[in-house]
Amino acid sequence: MLNLALFGAGRIGQIHAKNISLHPNCCLAYVIDMNDVVAQQTAEKYGAQAVSVDQALADPRVDAVLICSITETHADLIELAAKAGKAIFCEKPVDLSIERVDACLAVVKKANVPLMMAFNRRFDPNFAHLKSVLDSGEMGAVEMLTISSRDPEAPPASYIKSSGGMFRDMSIHDFDVARWLLGEEPVSVYATASAMTSLHVREAGDVDTAIITLTCKSGKMAVITNSRRASYGYDQRVEVHASYGMLTVNNIPESTLSIATSNGMASQKPMAFFLERYAEAYRNELDAFVTGLQSGVENYPIGEDGRKALLIANAALKSLETGNVQTLALD
Amino acid sequence: MLNLALFGAGRIGQIHAKNISLHPNCCLAYVIDMNDVVAQQTAEKYGAQAVSVDQALADPRVDAVLICSITETHADLIELAAKAGKAIFCEKPVDLSIERVDACLAVVKKANVPLMMAFNRRFDPNFAHLKSVLDSGEMGAVEMLTISSRDPEAPPASYIKSSGGMFRDMSIHDFDVARWLLGEEPVSVYATASAMTSLHVREAGDVDTAIITLTCKSGKMAVITNSRRASYGYDQRVEVHASYGMLTVNNIPESTLSIATSNGMASQKPMAFFLERYAEAYRNELDAFVTGLQSGVENYPIGEDGRKALLIANAALKSLETGNVQTLALD
Amino acid sequence: MLNLALFGAGRIGQIHAKNISLHPNCCLAYVIDMNDVVAQQTAEKYGAQAVSVDQALADPRVDAVLICSITETHADLIELAAKAGKAIFCEKPVDLSIERVDACLAVVKKANVPLMMAFNRRFDPNFAHLKSVLDSGEMGAVEMLTISSRDPEAPPASYIKSSGGMFRDMSIHDFDVARWLLGEEPVSVYATASAMTSLHVREAGDVDTAIITLTCKSGKMAVITNSRRASYGYDQRVEVHASYGMLTVNNIPESTLSIATSNGMASQKPMAFFLERYAEAYRNELDAFVTGLQSGVENYPIGEDGRKALLIANAALKSLETGNVQTLALD
Amino acid sequence: MLNLALFGAGRIGQIHAKNISLHPNCCLAYVIDMNDVVAQQTAEKYGAQAVSVDQALADPRVDAVLICSITETHADLIELAAKAGKAIFCEKPVDLSIERVDACLAVVKKANVPLMMAFNRRFDPNFAHLKSVLDSGEMGAVEMLTISSRDPEAPPASYIKSSGGMFRDMSIHDFDVARWLLGEEPVSVYATASAMTSLHVREAGDVDTAIITLTCKSGKMAVITNSRRASYGYDQRVEVHASYGMLTVNNIPESTLSIATSNGMASQKPMAFFLERYAEAYRNELDAFVTGLQSGVENYPIGEDGRKALLIANAALKSLETGNVQTLALD
């Protein structure tokens, strides 16, 4: 039974707290949140204690920490936890600055503690199913990957401004999926993008619509289409073309009801809320972390994966700014 | 090259006339229709002559006739054509009276001429595909069959009154499909039905909504659901449960366009018009007739198939009238 | 916070125990099971106590009981709980004998306690969605209902023998769904059935494949197709034809992965295990019970619903035995 | 009734000859082909005469010509026909050299004759349906377009070598579709491509797999994914993201049969042969040409559309060669 400390009890922190309570091999020991009331309520709900960061890290019974606080705090908390010898589960990103990421990962390396980056999409049962078929080799080699990733609507202006831009905030999930499914690092990236759907995004100097192309040395390629606004729900699809055919993961409708009338056939929209859409992925990623700690086998994305996804995001941003293709050296 | 005479140049006759003109191994020699103008125009359009029934049957160059006239004339024309030694292609039914059918088929038998009953659904490429998979044996034995068959809207009162009722007019196609796919004659039939969707059908003493169950001696069974009115189009589906799984033939949408909005996912209705829905079936059934005459192999439904479908329809009607299951002796 | 006692900690009892632990407004006080070890382990897992039936019913703090034990014990436990003034949640059926059911429901009535019959399908989000659209009236009146209900494979011979036969064991869920969606009691039932897929079912004198037709006085009708064995998974579909169109609830695939190769397009089978397929329904039905007790509004199937579904099952069995249609008087 | 002359009676020429024979408002007067036997047979089949180019163009009764000969002959034949005052229907491209295209279109302009470029995809009923919904304005403005276009297998080496490369031979159709649906000219193009699926393509110095991105001044964008080999058939899909949602045109399966077994759900592949897939498009494009000549309204792609699609193809090729984005000035 692993003892976990939760740093940040906001929306995603609550999801993890609940999943910890349902997991047979771990329990929630401490909750840490800037908001004392939230920390206290969450701790009570799950039989944990509300404490400070220092208290949690000082307790030798704590095996691991989950970092679910705001982005600005991630790198500092990772370093503190690493120095305290705790295993770390961290929501993306490590940091928006690649220099800060590098420094932080050096600390983790020195401390020799596990660091899992919570790229949740890898743990969605449907994407994982696709990956397992690819890994089986039965479809041959990957040739092309197309990722469709659209949010139902843009986050508020305040969020946009501190998000690091769409590529580092939203597309970064797709960069991770691309790396995961391509099985080879991209060597160049080209991005075209515009602000067409959300006025406050445009005013914030960010983009809301993009096409990003990644090319690998072997000739494999990937294209990511992004939008901050999809009226029909949360659009999360993947299509892989391989030697022997095409693998597709489609959206999950809100219900299986369909209605046929004189106006046509109507079926349900995709689930619109990411916490609902990826509910099972959140359970699975926690399990991957816990199981990984117990078995010593890191079968999950690590700090380096977070760093490489950020490097792609940065290059995509530079491609957009310069209008030219950018080379990447991720190997 | 077979020379054909077309009896009846109405809606379905026009379809056959056109298909004859496109077929490489037959041509239209004569057109016969009560309406002289229609006969003349159709003949001109396809390079044929407008003549009388007697003239057409007297010409030794005529190999075969297509009977597309009104139901009341079918049996008489079949007998005349049979006595003239012509091969016969006839729209269903031979007649609404089973006694008249028996007498007519006796004439055909005596004349020893081919008689194809144009049950078009067997020639639809999708249903034919399903049948070919069943015949291959790879799915094992048929256990249960469900046929969904609904018209977009009820025909006018005048048609309803002379139609012989829904079972003999519309369900008869489904009885033929059931016999074809079950590969075994049903030994009992049960029908429940009501007039719920079309006032003029109710006023005509007919039904517009029905569930009909057929049971075979081996335990195989089929259920047919019918309606004279489907707001969403012409509903023509089949589902077969066999030893190793389920085979389904679904409707064909009017186009492959689908639209996703905040209201959900909208796709297109099934094709609504039977002449369009079964356009390929009409071409294929003509080809089956022509090819059958040339090869001597009757790979199509014959008079006896029409007779048995009518016997089922009659028993279904009696089941509805009595409220009880009716036995059948078709073997 | 309602205190619940769980009678029977087998497969379905475990599901309910877990769902109770996750529900914010109820908690598990007692676990009762013939197997002491199972009772003890389940009680420990959820912070409850393992006790006897009498102990649980004698505790005034117990608000309600969940009866998840074997069928033979249901009626006795219902009566004991009713006499103890407890609200009751019972897995179907009350009993296989209609006389015993009548006697038991009389006791419940006299005790004036709530009795919810756990017909889980009504609480599936997809079927519930369909029902809510029907209830809104926007589709007009129901005309015909088709229910497809197939198990992945037949239960073992031991189960079959004490099951009361397919109609009372399996189809009874479909009879409940039919009554729920028709909104009108059927006045006649016709069943055809055979044992074609499972030798041990045939040897037990039961059937494994059936078509059952229900007819209402207004002319509304329903057809249920059943099989004890569907190689492709757990088949649970509903199709409703109403004035303005067709409503369909389809199966839920195991994943949204599909694969296109030179052999065709392959997608995933429906979920095969009923506990997984109806996981959300089990959560929702517990919530309906708890919410109903707290609000005093019985928005769930009650004892009378169980009784009527059993009457339909009995009539279907008689139809099968006699080969004739059976009338029903459920109003 | 328009009199048409057919230049080239190969595979696509035969399609047009048949469609002319079925069209009520035109007829085939002359067939011209390098192969005398083919010319003669085709002429006989459709009641036309086999003649020389000069003879056909010299006949004042000829209203229009269809150019279906090999690419190298297109520009010369267009010029001859234009000088003879004939309306022209031409298979793509005018020529592989933009200089030759410019010269040719100048001749057409001077002669003031209609020139339709047979970009067949615009006339597919499904793509046309999508376009008509876009044109209605009900979906708002186009934001992003994704075109999936894959051939079942690469053409032979001999064809590849004279094809002008994948972009000018195959992607050119997608460039036309993109221009048609975007409703705005792209101002830049980026292409990444490789030869991964077909050895003989690689040996010919061509590519077989590509992602091509087009960007418009307004911020609208399009991405085209291409492959010379799709094991699952001819892949022809379009997805349009607009203000109020997503419009999708999917592939058409070979039949609507699907089979569910213990291995999963299997449905049919897309149609694999372009002449079959676009059969209706070929009929519609001929009708657009004939109707356009009769009405004087050019509702079809013209020479300038062919020129612009070629300019995009050339820029895509340059992007691939240089590794950089290329600007376009099509307005």
Side-chain angles (χ1 to χ4, degrees):
Chain A
M1 183 68 71
L2 296 176
N3 291 302
L4 306 181
L6 177 71
F7 291 2
R11 198 162 58 172
I12 189 67
Q14 294 296 331
I15 297 289
H16 291 309
K18 183 173 178 183
N19 289 338
I20 291 168
S21 78
L22 294 173
H23 196 286
N25 298 334
C26 65
C27 63
L28 186 61
Y30 296 119
V31 176
I32 300 90
D33 197 280
M34 299 189 313
N35 183 321
D36 287 343
V37 177
V38 165
Q40 196 60 43
Q41 285 176 340
T42 307
E44 271 174 31
K45 187 168 179 182
Y46 295 105
Q49 278 183 271
V51 295
S52 69
V53 169
D54 290 348
Q55 285 174 303
L57 293 179
D59 186 339
R61 290 170 304 184
V62 169
D63 299 290
V65 303
L66 281 77
I67 302 177
C68 306
S69 46
I70 57 173
T71 294
E72 290 75 6
T73 66
H74 287 192
D76 290 347
L77 289 172
I78 289 173
E79 291 185 353
L80 287 172
K83 287 172 181 166
K86 309 303 187 192
I88 306 162
F89 171 107
C90 186
E91 288 297 321
K92 66 94 192 159
V94 171
D95 196 89
L96 291 174
S97 150
I98 194 69
E99 293 75 22
R100 185 71 190 90
V101 172
D102 287 341
C104 179
L105 295 187
V107 171
V108 173
K109 192 177 184 185
K110 191 173 168 196
N112 196 26
V113 294
L115 167 58
M116 170 171 172
M117 292 307 298
F119 283 121
N120 58 311
R121 235 166 275 178
R122 295 195 189 196
F123 299 94
D124 171 74
N126 306 292
F127 294 132
H129 190 182
L130 183 152
K131 171 70 168 162
S132 74
V133 173
L134 283 183
D135 286 351
S136 75
E138 66 191 77
M139 295 300 292
V142 171
E143 292 161 4
M144 190 192 293
L145 177 62
T146 74
I147 300 175
S148 299
S149 177
R150 290 175 179 82
D151 282 348
E153 53 184 334
S158 57
Y159 181 94
I160 292 284
K161 281 164 192 162
S162 65
S163 70
M166 185 169 75
F167 294 168
R168 283 190 289 213
D169 179 57
M170 178 181 159
S171 316
I172 198 164
H173 279 290
D174 305 306
F175 299 139
D176 182 64
V177 170
R179 290 183 59 245
W180 181 52
L181 295 178
L182 285 170
E184 181 183 349
E185 300 296 352
V187 295
S188 75
V189 58
Y190 169 70
T192 185
S194 56
M196 282 197 291
T197 70
S198 311
L199 185 60
H200 69 280
V201 170
R202 176 190 289 267
E203 288 172 349
D206 199 358
V207 293
D208 53 28
T209 308
I211 297 173
I212 307 165
T213 306
L214 303 172
T215 306
C216 298
K217 197 176 173 189
S218 69
K220 283 183 196 176
M221 58 195 82
V223 63
I224 296 162
T225 59
N226 283 145
S227 175
R228 282 286 196 186
R229 185 272 288 121
S231 58
Y232 52 88
Y234 190 28
D235 191 3
Q236 297 280 285
R237 291 171 288 153
V238 166
E239 184 177 301
V240 179
H241 294 267
S243 314
Y244 306 125
M246 171 174 64
L247 301 95
T248 310
V249 166
N250 253 308
N251 289 315
I252 305 169
E254 286 178 339
S255 98
T256 60
L257 176 65
S258 66
I259 301 181
T261 68
S262 57
N263 293 321
M265 317 293 280
S267 56
Q268 306 305 311
K269 287 184 294 184
M271 291 179 180
F273 191 41
F274 73 97
L275 293 179
E276 180 191 10
R277 168 64 183 83
Y278 284 117
E280 202 164 348
Y282 294 122
R283 289 195 289 273
N284 291 347
E285 70 180 7
L286 177 71
D287 183 65
F289 181 60
V290 170
T291 305
L293 294 190
Q294 292 184 323
S295 69
V297 181
E298 284 185 345
N299 196 9
Y300 48 69
I302 60 172
E304 190 61 18
D305 293 298
R307 182 179 160 270
K308 287 181 174 171
L310 182 62
L311 285 170
I312 299 176
N314 286 346
L317 193 55
K318 193 161 182 194
S319 172
L320 180 62
E321 289 164 354
T322 63
N324 264 319
V325 183
Q326 297 298 312
T327 56
L328 289 162
L330 302 180
D331 279 318
Chain B
M1 182 69 69
L2 296 176
N3 291 304
L4 305 182
L6 178 70
F7 292 1
R11 196 161 62 171
I12 188 68
Q14 293 296 330
I15 298 289
H16 290 308
K18 182 172 179 183
N19 289 338
I20 290 167
S21 78
L22 295 173
H23 196 286
N25 299 334
C26 64
C27 64
L28 187 60
Y30 295 117
V31 176
I32 300 91
D33 197 280
M34 299 189 313
N35 183 321
D36 287 343
V37 176
V38 165
Q40 196 59 43
Q41 286 176 340
T42 307
E44 272 174 30
K45 187 167 179 183
Y46 296 105
Q49 279 183 272
V51 296
S52 70
V53 169
D54 289 348
Q55 285 174 302
L57 293 179
D59 186 337
R61 289 168 303 181
V62 168
D63 299 290
V65 302
L66 280 77
I67 302 177
C68 306
S69 46
I70 58 172
T71 294
E72 290 73 8
T73 65
H74 287 192
D76 289 347
L77 289 171
I78 289 173
E79 290 184 353
L80 287 172
K83 286 173 182 166
K86 310 301 186 193
I88 306 162
F89 171 106
C90 186
E91 288 296 321
K92 66 93 192 159
V94 171
D95 197 274
L96 291 174
S97 150
I98 193 70
E99 293 74 21
R100 186 71 190 89
V101 172
D102 286 342
C104 179
L105 294 188
V107 172
V108 172
K109 192 177 181 184
K110 192 173 169 198
N112 196 26
V113 293
L115 167 58
M116 170 169 172
M117 292 306 298
F119 281 122
N120 59 310
R121 234 166 276 177
R122 296 194 189 198
F123 299 95
D124 172 73
N126 307 291
F127 293 131
H129 190 183
L130 184 152
K131 172 69 168 164
S132 74
V133 173
L134 283 183
D135 286 351
S136 76
E138 66 190 79
M139 295 301 293
V142 171
E143 293 161 4
M144 189 192 293
L145 177 61
T146 74
I147 300 175
S148 298
S149 177
R150 290 174 179 81
D151 281 348
E153 53 184 333
S158 57
Y159 181 94
I160 291 285
K161 279 165 194 163
S162 66
S163 70
M166 185 168 75
F167 294 167
R168 283 188 288 212
D169 179 57
M170 175 180 163
S171 316
I172 199 165
H173 278 291
D174 305 306
F175 298 139
D176 182 64
V177 170
R179 289 184 59 244
W180 182 53
L181 294 179
L182 285 170
E184 181 183 348
E185 300 295 353
V187 294
S188 75
V189 59
Y190 169 70
T192 185
S194 56
M196 283 196 292
T197 70
S198 311
L199 185 60
H200 69 279
V201 170
R202 176 191 289 269
E203 288 173 348
D206 199 358
V207 293
D208 54 28
T209 308
I211 297 173
I212 306 164
T213 306
L214 304 173
T215 306
C216 299
K217 197 175 174 190
S218 69
K220 283 184 195 176
M221 57 195 83
V223 62
I224 296 162
T225 58
N226 283 146
S227 175
R228 283 285 196 188
R229 186 271 289 120
S231 57
Y232 51 87
Y234 189 28
D235 192 2
Q236 297 279 286
R237 291 172 289 153
V238 165
E239 184 178 301
V240 179
H241 293 268
S243 313
Y244 306 124
M246 172 174 65
L247 301 95
T248 309
V249 166
N250 253 307
N251 288 315
I252 304 169
E254 287 178 339
S255 98
T256 60
L257 176 66
S258 66
I259 302 180
T261 68
S262 57
N263 293 321
M265 318 292 280
S267 55
Q268 306 306 311
K269 286 184 294 184
M271 291 179 181
F273 191 41
F274 74 97
L275 292 180
E276 180 191 11
R277 168 64 184 84
Y278 284 117
E280 202 164 347
Y282 294 122
R283 289 195 289 273
N284 292 346
E285 70 180 7
L286 176 71
D287 183 65
F289 181 60
V290 169
T291 306
L293 293 191
Q294 294 184 321
S295 68
V297 180
E298 285 186 343
N299 196 9
Y300 48 69
I302 59 170
E304 189 61 18
D305 293 299
R307 181 179 162 268
K308 286 181 174 173
L310 182 62
L311 285 171
I312 300 176
N314 286 346
L317 192 56
K318 191 159 185 197
S319 172
L320 180 61
E321 290 165 354
T322 63
N324 264 321
V325 183
Q326 297 298 314
T327 55
L328 289 162
L330 301 181
D331 278 319
Chain C
M1 182 69 70
L2 297 176
N3 291 301
L4 306 181
L6 177 71
F7 292 1
R11 197 162 59 171
I12 188 68
Q14 292 296 330
I15 298 289
H16 291 309
K18 182 173 178 184
N19 289 339
I20 291 167
S21 77
L22 295 173
H23 196 286
N25 298 334
C26 65
C27 65
L28 187 60
Y30 296 118
V31 176
I32 300 91
D33 197 280
M34 298 189 315
N35 183 321
D36 287 343
V37 176
V38 165
Q40 196 60 43
Q41 286 176 340
T42 307
E44 271 174 28
K45 188 169 180 183
Y46 296 104
Q49 276 182 273
V51 295
S52 69
V53 168
D54 290 348
Q55 286 173 302
L57 293 180
D59 187 339
R61 289 169 304 181
V62 168
D63 299 291
V65 302
L66 281 78
I67 301 177
C68 307
S69 47
I70 57 173
T71 294
E72 289 75 7
T73 65
H74 287 192
D76 289 348
L77 289 172
I78 289 173
E79 291 183 352
L80 286 173
K83 287 172 182 167
K86 309 301 186 193
I88 306 162
F89 171 107
C90 187
E91 289 296 322
K92 65 91 195 161
V94 172
D95 196 90
L96 292 174
S97 150
I98 194 70
E99 292 76 21
R100 186 71 190 89
V101 171
D102 287 341
C104 179
L105 294 188
V107 171
V108 172
K109 192 176 184 187
K110 191 174 169 196
N112 196 25
V113 293
L115 168 57
M116 170 170 171
M117 292 306 299
F119 282 121
N120 59 310
R121 234 166 275 178
R122 295 194 188 197
F123 299 95
D124 172 74
N126 307 291
F127 293 131
H129 190 183
L130 184 151
K131 172 69 169 164
S132 74
V133 174
L134 283 183
D135 287 351
S136 75
E138 66 189 79
M139 296 300 293
V142 171
E143 293 161 3
M144 191 192 292
L145 178 61
T146 74
I147 299 174
S148 298
S149 176
R150 290 175 179 80
D151 281 347
E153 54 183 332
S158 58
Y159 181 94
I160 292 284
K161 280 164 193 163
S162 65
S163 70
M166 185 169 73
F167 294 167
R168 284 189 288 211
D169 178 57
M170 176 180 161
S171 317
I172 198 165
H173 278 290
D174 305 308
F175 299 138
D176 182 64
V177 170
R179 291 184 58 244
W180 182 53
L181 294 178
L182 285 170
E184 180 183 350
E185 300 295 353
V187 294
S188 76
V189 58
Y190 169 70
T192 185
S194 56
M196 283 196 292
T197 70
S198 312
L199 185 59
H200 70 279
V201 170
R202 176 189 289 268
E203 288 173 349
D206 199 359
V207 293
D208 54 27
T209 308
I211 296 173
I212 306 165
T213 306
L214 304 173
T215 306
C216 298
K217 196 175 174 190
S218 69
K220 284 183 193 177
M221 57 194 84
V223 63
I224 296 161
T225 58
N226 283 145
S227 175
R228 283 287 197 187
R229 185 272 287 122
S231 58
Y232 51 88
Y234 189 28
D235 192 2
Q236 297 280 285
R237 291 172 288 155
V238 165
E239 184 177 299
V240 179
H241 294 267
S243 313
Y244 306 124
M246 173 174 64
L247 301 96
T248 310
V249 165
N250 252 307
N251 288 314
I252 305 169
E254 287 177 340
S255 98
T256 59
L257 176 65
S258 66
I259 301 180
T261 68
S262 56
N263 293 320
M265 317 294 280
S267 55
Q268 306 305 311
K269 285 183 295 184
M271 291 180 180
F273 191 42
F274 73 98
L275 293 180
E276 180 191 10
R277 168 64 183 83
Y278 284 116
E280 202 164 348
Y282 293 123
R283 288 195 290 273
N284 291 347
E285 69 180 5
L286 177 70
D287 183 65
F289 181 59
V290 168
T291 305
L293 293 191
Q294 293 183 321
S295 68
V297 181
E298 284 186 343
N299 197 9
Y300 47 70
I302 60 171
E304 190 61 19
D305 293 299
R307 181 179 161 270
K308 286 181 174 172
L310 182 63
L311 284 171
I312 300 176
N314 285 346
L317 193 55
K318 192 158 184 198
S319 172
L320 181 61
E321 289 165 354
T322 62
N324 264 320
V325 183
Q326 297 298 312
T327 56
L328 288 163
L330 301 181
D331 279 319
Chain D
M1 183 69 69
L2 297 175
N3 291 303
L4 306 180
L6 178 70
F7 291 1
R11 196 162 60 170
I12 188 68
Q14 292 296 331
I15 297 289
H16 290 309
K18 181 173 179 184
N19 289 338
I20 291 167
S21 78
L22 295 173
H23 196 285
N25 298 335
C26 64
C27 64
L28 188 59
Y30 296 118
V31 177
I32 300 91
D33 197 280
M34 300 188 314
N35 184 322
D36 287 344
V37 176
V38 165
Q40 196 59 44
Q41 285 176 340
T42 306
E44 271 174 30
K45 188 168 179 182
Y46 296 105
Q49 277 183 273
V51 295
S52 70
V53 169
D54 290 347
Q55 285 173 302
L57 294 179
D59 186 339
R61 289 169 305 181
V62 169
D63 300 291
V65 303
L66 281 74
I67 302 177
C68 307
S69 47
I70 58 173
T71 294
E72 290 74 8
T73 65
H74 287 192
D76 290 347
L77 289 172
I78 289 173
E79 291 183 353
L80 288 172
K83 288 171 182 167
K86 309 301 186 193
I88 306 161
F89 171 107
C90 185
E91 288 297 320
K92 65 91 193 163
V94 172
D95 196 273
L96 291 173
S97 151
I98 193 71
E99 293 74 21
R100 185 71 190 88
V101 171
D102 286 341
C104 179
L105 295 187
V107 172
V108 172
K109 192 176 183 184
K110 192 173 168 197
N112 196 25
V113 294
L115 166 58
M116 170 171 171
M117 292 306 299
F119 282 121
N120 59 311
R121 234 166 276 179
R122 296 194 189 197
F123 299 95
D124 172 73
N126 307 290
F127 293 132
H129 189 183
L130 184 152
K131 171 70 168 163
S132 74
V133 174
L134 283 182
D135 287 350
S136 76
E138 67 190 79
M139 296 299 292
V142 172
E143 293 161 4
M144 190 191 293
L145 178 62
T146 73
I147 299 175
S148 299
S149 176
R150 291 175 178 82
D151 281 347
E153 54 184 332
S158 57
Y159 181 94
I160 292 285
K161 280 163 194 162
S162 65
S163 70
M166 185 169 73
F167 295 167
R168 284 190 287 213
D169 179 57
M170 177 180 161
S171 316
I172 198 165
H173 279 290
D174 305 307
F175 299 139
D176 182 64
V177 170
R179 289 184 60 246
W180 181 53
L181 295 178
L182 285 170
E184 180 183 348
E185 300 295 353
V187 294
S188 76
V189 58
Y190 169 70
T192 184
S194 56
M196 281 195 293
T197 71
S198 311
L199 186 58
H200 69 279
V201 171
R202 176 190 290 267
E203 289 172 349
D206 198 359
V207 293
D208 54 29
T209 308
I211 297 173
I212 306 165
T213 306
L214 304 172
T215 306
C216 299
K217 197 176 173 189
S218 70
K220 282 183 195 177
M221 57 195 83
V223 63
I224 296 161
T225 58
N226 283 145
S227 175
R228 282 287 197 187
R229 185 272 288 122
S231 58
Y232 50 89
Y234 189 29
D235 192 3
Q236 296 281 284
R237 290 171 289 154
V238 165
E239 184 177 301
V240 179
H241 293 268
S243 313
Y244 306 125
M246 172 174 64
L247 302 95
T248 310
V249 165
N250 252 309
N251 288 315
I252 304 168
E254 286 177 340
S255 96
T256 60
L257 176 66
S258 66
I259 301 180
T261 68
S262 57
N263 293 321
M265 317 293 280
S267 54
Q268 305 305 312
K269 286 185 294 182
M271 291 178 179
F273 192 41
F274 73 97
L275 292 180
E276 180 191 11
R277 168 65 183 83
Y278 284 116
E280 202 163 349
Y282 294 123
R283 288 195 290 272
N284 292 346
E285 69 180 7
L286 177 70
D287 182 65
F289 181 60
V290 169
T291 305
L293 294 190
Q294 293 184 321
S295 68
V297 181
E298 285 187 343
N299 196 10
Y300 47 70
I302 59 171
E304 189 61 18
D305 294 299
R307 180 178 162 271
K308 287 181 175 173
L310 182 63
L311 285 171
I312 300 176
N314 286 347
L317 193 55
K318 192 159 185 196
S319 172
L320 180 62
E321 289 164 355
T322 63
N324 264 320
V325 183
Q326 297 298 311
T327 55
L328 289 163
L330 301 181
D331 279 318

